[in-house]
Amino acid sequence: ASNVNMNVAKSGYHVFCANSTPACTELAKKITERLGVELGKSVVYQESNRETRVEIKESVRGQTIFIIQTIPRDVNTAIMELLIMAYALKTSCAKNIIGVIPYFPYSKQCKMRKRGSIVCKLLASMLAKAGLTHIITMDLHQKEIQGFFTFPVDNLRASPFLLQYIQEEIPDYRNAIIVAKSPSAAKRAQSYAERLRLGLAVMHGEAQCSESDMADGRHSPPCVRNTFGHPGLELPLMMAKEKPPITVVGDVGGRIAIIVDDIIDDVEDFVATAEILKERGAYKIYVMATHGLLSADAPRLIEESAIDEVVVTNTVPHEVQKLQCPKIKTVDVSMILAEAIRRIHNGESMAYLFRNITVDD
């Protein structure tokens, strides 16, 4: 018995997984294998009335606990599982509760829209309230999201893995050009282009309705001209945007085009971009992104499109999509997540995981 106690005292940390779906526990298993620890004993399930129930099956008092949560199709259930597990650990007197959330959900809703809300900030507050004391995530949609949290956030990058993939798996990658499918993705594309010493092409114009163009229009008070106010006050009107027809800035003729982005969810934009690049003479088209959400009928659309290969990491489970579309390839990032967990637990510096990462990346 003393041996067992020694073991707990020495390791002093547990890794739990709060997912109830088997597909989502794959990443957690990979991470625990790399760390050489057992996955913590817990039960997470939906009751017949669809309520989530979490039971922790071992003592966690005074320990550092890592909860690995990957986000499947059913986003809201996964969030609830995470919140309930965190709270269960908090009420069981765990010392630190660290969420390992490779793809942070709702990260696209991080800007104010007409009478909407910044859901991402709400989620950050909920996680803090449930008891999380630290988060490890990957490639936040906007890195300023870190500021929504009241506790430390480690925003790891997947780009080194994707850069390695380009160099090792794309024959003749030196004849490639990095493409941003909209000006908003240009910064990420530039970071890839500079590291691989390749050219950069940016697309802009009508076909894409990029996220940055959605009406912010907080039209309250309403747009009708207010007759009661100061009659002398005529505010200048903001002109409506007139988008030019779609153009590609940069020459892709006779090149391999590599479109880079952070999230592939709806693929219509990517498919349209691929069509245009084909017209402009690109002979092979790759799409690379960190998070492959690949919602709705994305696999079918990719299969029928001009895209030759879609490369994503395993931050989000997408086994089902891979069965439907052999063009989807996966890069495993469990290594960097496991290393982050190991360093935090040992109290080592995380700087090594962020080497050569600049403010703009």
Side-chain angles (χ1 to χ4, degrees), residues 60-94:
V60 294
R61 184 176 298 272
Q63 301 208 3
T64 298
I65 306 293
F66 294 86
I67 311 176
I68 301 172
Q69 185 71 331
T70 47
I71 307 293
R73 281 280 146 275
D74 191 355
V75 184
N76 299 328
T77 303
I79 291 170
M80 208 59 204
E81 288 167 350
L82 177 61
L83 291 168
I84 295 173
M85 179 170 274
Y87 194 57
L89 290 163
K90 182 185 180 181
T91 45
S92 305
C93 300

PDB file of all heavy atoms in Angstrom, residues 60-94:
ATOM      1  N   VAL A  60      -8.833  13.225  -5.439  1.00  0.00           N
ATOM      2  CA  VAL A  60      -8.042  14.249  -6.144  1.00  0.00           C
ATOM      3  C   VAL A  60      -7.620  15.358  -5.180  1.00  0.00           C
ATOM      4  O   VAL A  60      -7.127  16.395  -5.606  1.00  0.00           O
ATOM      5  CB  VAL A  60      -8.850  14.867  -7.310  1.00  0.00           C
ATOM      6  CG1 VAL A  60      -9.126  13.840  -8.383  1.00  0.00           C
ATOM      7  CG2 VAL A  60     -10.150  15.488  -6.814  1.00  0.00           C
ATOM      8  N   ARG A  61      -7.814  15.157  -3.897  1.00  0.00           N
ATOM      9  CA  ARG A  61      -7.552  16.218  -2.920  1.00  0.00           C
ATOM     10  C   ARG A  61      -6.117  16.733  -3.010  1.00  0.00           C
ATOM     11  O   ARG A  61      -5.163  15.969  -3.003  1.00  0.00           O
ATOM     12  CB  ARG A  61      -7.819  15.688  -1.513  1.00  0.00           C
ATOM     13  CG  ARG A  61      -7.664  16.742  -0.418  1.00  0.00           C
ATOM     14  CD  ARG A  61      -8.026  16.175   0.942  1.00  0.00           C
ATOM     15  NE  ARG A  61      -9.423  15.740   0.983  1.00  0.00           N
ATOM     16  CZ  ARG A  61     -10.440  16.538   1.304  1.00  0.00           C
ATOM     17  NH1 ARG A  61     -10.221  17.798   1.586  1.00  0.00           N
ATOM     18  NH2 ARG A  61     -11.665  16.078   1.314  1.00  0.00           N
ATOM     19  N   GLY A  62      -6.010  18.052  -3.147  1.00  0.00           N
ATOM     20  CA  GLY A  62      -4.697  18.699  -3.143  1.00  0.00           C
ATOM     21  C   GLY A  62      -3.845  18.420  -4.368  1.00  0.00           C
ATOM     22  O   GLY A  62      -2.651  18.694  -4.371  1.00  0.00           O
ATOM     23  N   GLN A  63      -4.456  17.884  -5.430  1.00  0.00           N
ATOM     24  CA  GLN A  63      -3.653  17.540  -6.606  1.00  0.00           C
ATOM     25  C   GLN A  63      -3.874  18.510  -7.763  1.00  0.00           C
ATOM     26  O   GLN A  63      -4.854  19.240  -7.808  1.00  0.00           O
ATOM     27  CB  GLN A  63      -4.015  16.128  -7.077  1.00  0.00           C
ATOM     28  CG  GLN A  63      -3.773  15.105  -6.002  1.00  0.00           C
ATOM     29  CD  GLN A  63      -3.467  13.752  -6.592  1.00  0.00           C
ATOM     30  OE1 GLN A  63      -3.385  13.592  -7.791  1.00  0.00           O
ATOM     31  NE2 GLN A  63      -3.289  12.782  -5.734  1.00  0.00           N
ATOM     32  N   THR A  64      -2.910  18.477  -8.697  1.00  0.00           N
ATOM     33  CA  THR A  64      -3.064  19.229  -9.944  1.00  0.00           C
ATOM     34  C   THR A  64      -3.764  18.318 -10.941  1.00  0.00           C
ATOM     35  O   THR A  64      -3.306  17.209 -11.188  1.00  0.00           O
ATOM     36  CB  THR A  64      -1.687  19.635 -10.493  1.00  0.00           C
ATOM     37  OG1 THR A  64      -1.069  20.488  -9.535  1.00  0.00           O
ATOM     38  CG2 THR A  64      -1.834  20.383 -11.807  1.00  0.00           C
ATOM     39  N   ILE A  65      -4.877  18.794 -11.480  1.00  0.00           N
ATOM     40  CA  ILE A  65      -5.668  17.957 -12.387  1.00  0.00           C
ATOM     41  C   ILE A  65      -5.718  18.604 -13.764  1.00  0.00           C
ATOM     42  O   ILE A  65      -5.958  19.802 -13.890  1.00  0.00           O
ATOM     43  CB  ILE A  65      -7.120  17.821 -11.872  1.00  0.00           C
ATOM     44  CG1 ILE A  65      -7.140  17.326 -10.421  1.00  0.00           C
ATOM     45  CG2 ILE A  65      -7.917  16.898 -12.776  1.00  0.00           C
ATOM     46  CD1 ILE A  65      -6.660  15.927 -10.226  1.00  0.00           C
ATOM     47  N   PHE A  66      -5.479  17.794 -14.783  1.00  0.00           N
ATOM     48  CA  PHE A  66      -5.634  18.264 -16.157  1.00  0.00           C
ATOM     49  C   PHE A  66      -6.888  17.625 -16.749  1.00  0.00           C
ATOM     50  O   PHE A  66      -7.059  16.406 -16.653  1.00  0.00           O
ATOM     51  CB  PHE A  66      -4.425  17.863 -16.999  1.00  0.00           C
ATOM     52  CG  PHE A  66      -3.151  18.537 -16.570  1.00  0.00           C
ATOM     53  CD1 PHE A  66      -2.368  18.005 -15.554  1.00  0.00           C
ATOM     54  CD2 PHE A  66      -2.741  19.713 -17.178  1.00  0.00           C
ATOM     55  CE1 PHE A  66      -1.207  18.628 -15.144  1.00  0.00           C
ATOM     56  CE2 PHE A  66      -1.578  20.348 -16.780  1.00  0.00           C
ATOM     57  CZ  PHE A  66      -0.812  19.807 -15.762  1.00  0.00           C
ATOM     58  N   ILE A  67      -7.759  18.447 -17.330  1.00  0.00           N
ATOM     59  CA  ILE A  67      -8.943  17.893 -18.007  1.00  0.00           C
ATOM     60  C   ILE A  67      -8.760  18.101 -19.500  1.00  0.00           C
ATOM     61  O   ILE A  67      -8.677  19.240 -19.960  1.00  0.00           O
ATOM     62  CB  ILE A  67     -10.245  18.611 -17.599  1.00  0.00           C
ATOM     63  CG1 ILE A  67     -10.370  18.733 -16.080  1.00  0.00           C
ATOM     64  CG2 ILE A  67     -11.452  17.901 -18.181  1.00  0.00           C
ATOM     65  CD1 ILE A  67     -11.607  19.515 -15.661  1.00  0.00           C
ATOM     66  N   ILE A  68      -8.682  17.014 -20.239  1.00  0.00           N
ATOM     67  CA  ILE A  68      -8.564  17.130 -21.694  1.00  0.00           C
ATOM     68  C   ILE A  68      -9.955  17.068 -22.288  1.00  0.00           C
ATOM     69  O   ILE A  68     -10.693  16.105 -22.063  1.00  0.00           O
ATOM     70  CB  ILE A  68      -7.692  15.991 -22.264  1.00  0.00           C
ATOM     71  CG1 ILE A  68      -6.302  16.046 -21.632  1.00  0.00           C
ATOM     72  CG2 ILE A  68      -7.603  16.094 -23.779  1.00  0.00           C
ATOM     73  CD1 ILE A  68      -5.426  14.871 -21.967  1.00  0.00           C
ATOM     74  N   GLN A  69     -10.328  18.100 -23.012  1.00  0.00           N
ATOM     75  CA  GLN A  69     -11.675  18.133 -23.594  1.00  0.00           C
ATOM     76  C   GLN A  69     -11.599  18.483 -25.070  1.00  0.00           C
ATOM     77  O   GLN A  69     -11.233  19.598 -25.430  1.00  0.00           O
ATOM     78  CB  GLN A  69     -12.542  19.149 -22.825  1.00  0.00           C
ATOM     79  CG  GLN A  69     -13.986  19.186 -23.260  1.00  0.00           C
ATOM     80  CD  GLN A  69     -14.769  17.946 -22.854  1.00  0.00           C
ATOM     81  OE1 GLN A  69     -14.203  16.873 -22.743  1.00  0.00           O
ATOM     82  NE2 GLN A  69     -16.061  18.076 -22.658  1.00  0.00           N
ATOM     83  N   THR A  70     -11.906  17.520 -25.924  1.00  0.00           N
ATOM     84  CA  THR A  70     -12.006  17.841 -27.349  1.00  0.00           C
ATOM     85  C   THR A  70     -13.469  18.084 -27.669  1.00  0.00           C
ATOM     86  O   THR A  70     -14.352  17.533 -27.025  1.00  0.00           O
ATOM     87  CB  THR A  70     -11.439  16.715 -28.232  1.00  0.00           C
ATOM     88  OG1 THR A  70     -11.968  15.482 -27.769  1.00  0.00           O
ATOM     89  CG2 THR A  70      -9.942  16.661 -28.149  1.00  0.00           C
ATOM     90  N   ILE A  71     -13.694  18.931 -28.658  1.00  0.00           N
ATOM     91  CA  ILE A  71     -15.042  19.427 -28.887  1.00  0.00           C
ATOM     92  C   ILE A  71     -15.633  18.771 -30.135  1.00  0.00           C
ATOM     93  O   ILE A  71     -15.198  19.050 -31.247  1.00  0.00           O
ATOM     94  CB  ILE A  71     -15.005  20.967 -29.078  1.00  0.00           C
ATOM     95  CG1 ILE A  71     -14.282  21.636 -27.897  1.00  0.00           C
ATOM     96  CG2 ILE A  71     -16.411  21.519 -29.247  1.00  0.00           C
ATOM     97  CD1 ILE A  71     -14.985  21.548 -26.563  1.00  0.00           C
ATOM     98  N   PRO A  72     -16.619  17.891 -29.964  1.00  0.00           N
ATOM     99  CA  PRO A  72     -17.224  17.213 -31.118  1.00  0.00           C
ATOM    100  C   PRO A  72     -18.320  18.069 -31.749  1.00  0.00           C
ATOM    101  O   PRO A  72     -18.432  19.251 -31.442  1.00  0.00           O
ATOM    102  CB  PRO A  72     -17.819  15.957 -30.488  1.00  0.00           C
ATOM    103  CG  PRO A  72     -18.205  16.393 -29.110  1.00  0.00           C
ATOM    104  CD  PRO A  72     -17.227  17.458 -28.702  1.00  0.00           C
ATOM    105  N   ARG A  73     -19.112  17.462 -32.644  1.00  0.00           N
ATOM    106  CA  ARG A  73     -20.259  18.155 -33.250  1.00  0.00           C
ATOM    107  C   ARG A  73     -21.137  18.826 -32.195  1.00  0.00           C
ATOM    108  O   ARG A  73     -21.572  19.940 -32.351  1.00  0.00           O
ATOM    109  CB  ARG A  73     -21.171  17.131 -33.949  1.00  0.00           C
ATOM    110  CG  ARG A  73     -20.691  16.684 -35.284  1.00  0.00           C
ATOM    111  CD  ARG A  73     -21.016  17.702 -36.357  1.00  0.00           C
ATOM    112  NE  ARG A  73     -19.958  17.694 -37.346  1.00  0.00           N
ATOM    113  CZ  ARG A  73     -18.834  18.385 -37.251  1.00  0.00           C
ATOM    114  NH1 ARG A  73     -18.590  19.148 -36.223  1.00  0.00           N
ATOM    115  NH2 ARG A  73     -17.933  18.336 -38.191  1.00  0.00           N
ATOM    116  N   ASP A  74     -21.407  18.070 -31.134  1.00  0.00           N
ATOM    117  CA  ASP A  74     -22.346  18.540 -30.127  1.00  0.00           C
ATOM    118  C   ASP A  74     -21.604  19.436 -29.140  1.00  0.00           C
ATOM    119  O   ASP A  74     -21.261  19.040 -28.041  1.00  0.00           O
ATOM    120  CB  ASP A  74     -22.941  17.316 -29.413  1.00  0.00           C
ATOM    121  CG  ASP A  74     -24.122  17.698 -28.544  1.00  0.00           C
ATOM    122  OD1 ASP A  74     -24.397  18.908 -28.444  1.00  0.00           O
ATOM    123  OD2 ASP A  74     -24.754  16.791 -27.982  1.00  0.00           O
ATOM    124  N   VAL A  75     -21.340  20.659 -29.579  1.00  0.00           N
ATOM    125  CA  VAL A  75     -20.480  21.586 -28.839  1.00  0.00           C
ATOM    126  C   VAL A  75     -20.991  21.824 -27.422  1.00  0.00           C
ATOM    127  O   VAL A  75     -20.245  21.740 -26.452  1.00  0.00           O
ATOM    128  CB  VAL A  75     -20.413  22.949 -29.564  1.00  0.00           C
ATOM    129  CG1 VAL A  75     -19.445  23.881 -28.867  1.00  0.00           C
ATOM    130  CG2 VAL A  75     -20.010  22.751 -31.006  1.00  0.00           C
ATOM    131  N   ASN A  76     -22.289  22.111 -27.319  1.00  0.00           N
ATOM    132  CA  ASN A  76     -22.818  22.551 -26.026  1.00  0.00           C
ATOM    133  C   ASN A  76     -22.763  21.454 -24.968  1.00  0.00           C
ATOM    134  O   ASN A  76     -22.519  21.730 -23.799  1.00  0.00           O
ATOM    135  CB  ASN A  76     -24.241  23.083 -26.206  1.00  0.00           C
ATOM    136  CG  ASN A  76     -24.252  24.263 -27.151  1.00  0.00           C
ATOM    137  OD1 ASN A  76     -23.296  25.024 -27.204  1.00  0.00           O
ATOM    138  ND2 ASN A  76     -25.310  24.411 -27.918  1.00  0.00           N
ATOM    139  N   THR A  77     -22.967  20.214 -25.381  1.00  0.00           N
ATOM    140  CA  THR A  77     -22.848  19.101 -24.429  1.00  0.00           C
ATOM    141  C   THR A  77     -21.415  19.015 -23.926  1.00  0.00           C
ATOM    142  O   THR A  77     -21.174  18.842 -22.733  1.00  0.00           O
ATOM    143  CB  THR A  77     -23.252  17.773 -25.103  1.00  0.00           C
ATOM    144  OG1 THR A  77     -24.580  17.911 -25.597  1.00  0.00           O
ATOM    145  CG2 THR A  77     -23.186  16.613 -24.130  1.00  0.00           C
ATOM    146  N   ALA A  78     -20.463  19.155 -24.841  1.00  0.00           N
ATOM    147  CA  ALA A  78     -19.052  19.057 -24.459  1.00  0.00           C
ATOM    148  C   ALA A  78     -18.688  20.147 -23.455  1.00  0.00           C
ATOM    149  O   ALA A  78     -17.963  19.904 -22.493  1.00  0.00           O
ATOM    150  CB  ALA A  78     -18.173  19.150 -25.695  1.00  0.00           C
ATOM    151  N   ILE A  79     -19.213  21.348 -23.679  1.00  0.00           N
ATOM    152  CA  ILE A  79     -18.929  22.461 -22.762  1.00  0.00           C
ATOM    153  C   ILE A  79     -19.514  22.155 -21.384  1.00  0.00           C
ATOM    154  O   ILE A  79     -18.863  22.338 -20.357  1.00  0.00           O
ATOM    155  CB  ILE A  79     -19.507  23.781 -23.312  1.00  0.00           C
ATOM    156  CG1 ILE A  79     -18.721  24.204 -24.545  1.00  0.00           C
ATOM    157  CG2 ILE A  79     -19.473  24.879 -22.259  1.00  0.00           C
ATOM    158  CD1 ILE A  79     -19.334  25.341 -25.315  1.00  0.00           C
ATOM    159  N   MET A  80     -20.733  21.647 -21.385  1.00  0.00           N
ATOM    160  CA  MET A  80     -21.401  21.333 -20.122  1.00  0.00           C
ATOM    161  C   MET A  80     -20.635  20.234 -19.368  1.00  0.00           C
ATOM    162  O   MET A  80     -20.449  20.317 -18.149  1.00  0.00           O
ATOM    163  CB  MET A  80     -22.834  20.883 -20.425  1.00  0.00           C
ATOM    164  CG  MET A  80     -23.798  21.157 -19.329  1.00  0.00           C
ATOM    165  SD  MET A  80     -23.883  22.904 -18.936  1.00  0.00           S
ATOM    166  CE  MET A  80     -24.474  22.799 -17.272  1.00  0.00           C
ATOM    167  N   GLU A  81     -20.162  19.223 -20.113  1.00  0.00           N
ATOM    168  CA  GLU A  81     -19.379  18.148 -19.495  1.00  0.00           C
ATOM    169  C   GLU A  81     -18.132  18.728 -18.819  1.00  0.00           C
ATOM    170  O   GLU A  81     -17.790  18.360 -17.694  1.00  0.00           O
ATOM    171  CB  GLU A  81     -18.948  17.126 -20.555  1.00  0.00           C
ATOM    172  CG  GLU A  81     -20.090  16.262 -21.070  1.00  0.00           C
ATOM    173  CD  GLU A  81     -19.727  15.471 -22.325  1.00  0.00           C
ATOM    174  OE1 GLU A  81     -18.660  15.721 -22.925  1.00  0.00           O
ATOM    175  OE2 GLU A  81     -20.519  14.601 -22.710  1.00  0.00           O
ATOM    176  N   LEU A  82     -17.486  19.633 -19.519  1.00  0.00           N
ATOM    177  CA  LEU A  82     -16.266  20.248 -18.994  1.00  0.00           C
ATOM    178  C   LEU A  82     -16.562  21.057 -17.733  1.00  0.00           C
ATOM    179  O   LEU A  82     -15.866  20.946 -16.715  1.00  0.00           O
ATOM    180  CB  LEU A  82     -15.642  21.142 -20.068  1.00  0.00           C
ATOM    181  CG  LEU A  82     -14.395  21.943 -19.690  1.00  0.00           C
ATOM    182  CD1 LEU A  82     -13.257  21.012 -19.287  1.00  0.00           C
ATOM    183  CD2 LEU A  82     -13.948  22.816 -20.847  1.00  0.00           C
ATOM    184  N   LEU A  83     -17.631  21.868 -17.794  1.00  0.00           N
ATOM    185  CA  LEU A  83     -17.996  22.699 -16.640  1.00  0.00           C
ATOM    186  C   LEU A  83     -18.332  21.831 -15.426  1.00  0.00           C
ATOM    187  O   LEU A  83     -17.880  22.096 -14.313  1.00  0.00           O
ATOM    188  CB  LEU A  83     -19.199  23.586 -16.987  1.00  0.00           C
ATOM    189  CG  LEU A  83     -18.956  24.708 -17.998  1.00  0.00           C
ATOM    190  CD1 LEU A  83     -20.280  25.306 -18.459  1.00  0.00           C
ATOM    191  CD2 LEU A  83     -18.076  25.797 -17.399  1.00  0.00           C
ATOM    192  N   ILE A  84     -19.119  20.778 -15.666  1.00  0.00           N
ATOM    193  CA  ILE A  84     -19.548  19.935 -14.546  1.00  0.00           C
ATOM    194  C   ILE A  84     -18.357  19.184 -13.954  1.00  0.00           C
ATOM    195  O   ILE A  84     -18.220  19.089 -12.735  1.00  0.00           O
ATOM    196  CB  ILE A  84     -20.666  18.965 -14.994  1.00  0.00           C
ATOM    197  CG1 ILE A  84     -21.916  19.766 -15.380  1.00  0.00           C
ATOM    198  CG2 ILE A  84     -20.997  17.970 -13.882  1.00  0.00           C
ATOM    199  CD1 ILE A  84     -23.019  18.939 -15.999  1.00  0.00           C
ATOM    200  N   MET A  85     -17.477  18.687 -14.838  1.00  0.00           N
ATOM    201  CA  MET A  85     -16.314  17.972 -14.315  1.00  0.00           C
ATOM    202  C   MET A  85     -15.408  18.917 -13.519  1.00  0.00           C
ATOM    203  O   MET A  85     -14.930  18.573 -12.429  1.00  0.00           O
ATOM    204  CB  MET A  85     -15.508  17.289 -15.415  1.00  0.00           C
ATOM    205  CG  MET A  85     -14.297  16.577 -14.845  1.00  0.00           C
ATOM    206  SD  MET A  85     -13.433  15.527 -15.992  1.00  0.00           S
ATOM    207  CE  MET A  85     -14.324  14.003 -15.843  1.00  0.00           C
ATOM    208  N   ALA A  86     -15.182  20.117 -14.051  1.00  0.00           N
ATOM    209  CA  ALA A  86     -14.327  21.091 -13.355  1.00  0.00           C
ATOM    210  C   ALA A  86     -14.907  21.392 -11.976  1.00  0.00           C
ATOM    211  O   ALA A  86     -14.190  21.431 -10.974  1.00  0.00           O
ATOM    212  CB  ALA A  86     -14.196  22.364 -14.175  1.00  0.00           C
ATOM    213  N   TYR A  87     -16.217  21.567 -11.938  1.00  0.00           N
ATOM    214  CA  TYR A  87     -16.876  21.910 -10.672  1.00  0.00           C
ATOM    215  C   TYR A  87     -16.814  20.731  -9.697  1.00  0.00           C
ATOM    216  O   TYR A  87     -16.618  20.904  -8.499  1.00  0.00           O
ATOM    217  CB  TYR A  87     -18.322  22.330 -10.945  1.00  0.00           C
ATOM    218  CG  TYR A  87     -18.976  23.016  -9.774  1.00  0.00           C
ATOM    219  CD1 TYR A  87     -18.418  24.161  -9.214  1.00  0.00           C
ATOM    220  CD2 TYR A  87     -20.159  22.523  -9.225  1.00  0.00           C
ATOM    221  CE1 TYR A  87     -19.011  24.788  -8.136  1.00  0.00           C
ATOM    222  CE2 TYR A  87     -20.765  23.152  -8.150  1.00  0.00           C
ATOM    223  CZ  TYR A  87     -20.180  24.281  -7.603  1.00  0.00           C
ATOM    224  OH  TYR A  87     -20.757  24.908  -6.539  1.00  0.00           O
ATOM    225  N   ALA A  88     -16.965  19.516 -10.250  1.00  0.00           N
ATOM    226  CA  ALA A  88     -16.867  18.311  -9.410  1.00  0.00           C
ATOM    227  C   ALA A  88     -15.476  18.211  -8.796  1.00  0.00           C
ATOM    228  O   ALA A  88     -15.321  17.858  -7.624  1.00  0.00           O
ATOM    229  CB  ALA A  88     -17.168  17.072 -10.244  1.00  0.00           C
ATOM    230  N   LEU A  89     -14.449  18.538  -9.582  1.00  0.00           N
ATOM    231  CA  LEU A  89     -13.075  18.476  -9.076  1.00  0.00           C
ATOM    232  C   LEU A  89     -12.831  19.569  -8.044  1.00  0.00           C
ATOM    233  O   LEU A  89     -12.159  19.372  -7.044  1.00  0.00           O
ATOM    234  CB  LEU A  89     -12.086  18.610 -10.242  1.00  0.00           C
ATOM    235  CG  LEU A  89     -12.039  17.410 -11.195  1.00  0.00           C
ATOM    236  CD1 LEU A  89     -11.376  17.786 -12.502  1.00  0.00           C
ATOM    237  CD2 LEU A  89     -11.327  16.229 -10.558  1.00  0.00           C
ATOM    238  N   LYS A  90     -13.417  20.748  -8.319  1.00  0.00           N
ATOM    239  CA  LYS A  90     -13.262  21.875  -7.386  1.00  0.00           C
ATOM    240  C   LYS A  90     -13.865  21.511  -6.026  1.00  0.00           C
ATOM    241  O   LYS A  90     -13.271  21.740  -4.983  1.00  0.00           O
ATOM    242  CB  LYS A  90     -13.954  23.105  -7.977  1.00  0.00           C
ATOM    243  CG  LYS A  90     -13.834  24.350  -7.121  1.00  0.00           C
ATOM    244  CD  LYS A  90     -14.666  25.479  -7.727  1.00  0.00           C
ATOM    245  CE  LYS A  90     -14.574  26.738  -6.887  1.00  0.00           C
ATOM    246  NZ  LYS A  90     -15.386  27.830  -7.451  1.00  0.00           N
ATOM    247  N   THR A  91     -15.058  20.923  -6.078  1.00  0.00           N
ATOM    248  CA  THR A  91     -15.731  20.570  -4.820  1.00  0.00           C
ATOM    249  C   THR A  91     -15.107  19.334  -4.176  1.00  0.00           C
ATOM    250  O   THR A  91     -15.434  18.997  -3.055  1.00  0.00           O
ATOM    251  CB  THR A  91     -17.247  20.364  -5.038  1.00  0.00           C
ATOM    252  OG1 THR A  91     -17.430  19.575  -6.203  1.00  0.00           O
ATOM    253  CG2 THR A  91     -17.953  21.688  -5.242  1.00  0.00           C
ATOM    254  N   SER A  92     -14.215  18.659  -4.910  1.00  0.00           N
ATOM    255  CA  SER A  92     -13.464  17.547  -4.300  1.00  0.00           C
ATOM    256  C   SER A  92     -12.081  18.020  -3.863  1.00  0.00           C
ATOM    257  O   SER A  92     -11.167  17.205  -3.701  1.00  0.00           O
ATOM    258  CB  SER A  92     -13.309  16.395  -5.295  1.00  0.00           C
ATOM    259  OG  SER A  92     -14.565  15.992  -5.769  1.00  0.00           O
ATOM    260  N   CYS A  93     -11.902  19.344  -3.774  1.00  0.00           N
ATOM    261  CA  CYS A  93     -10.672  19.932  -3.224  1.00  0.00           C
ATOM    262  C   CYS A  93      -9.418  19.706  -4.064  1.00  0.00           C
ATOM    263  O   CYS A  93      -8.318  19.559  -3.508  1.00  0.00           O
ATOM    264  CB  CYS A  93     -10.410  19.434  -1.799  1.00  0.00           C
ATOM    265  SG  CYS A  93     -11.739  19.836  -0.678  1.00  0.00           S
ATOM    266  N   ALA A  94      -9.553  19.665  -5.375  1.00  0.00           N
ATOM    267  CA  ALA A  94      -8.348  19.625  -6.217  1.00  0.00           C
ATOM    268  C   ALA A  94      -7.642  20.975  -6.092  1.00  0.00           C
ATOM    269  O   ALA A  94      -8.292  22.005  -5.963  1.00  0.00           O
ATOM    270  CB  ALA A  94      -8.729  19.364  -7.670  1.00  0.00           C
TER     271      ALA A  94
END
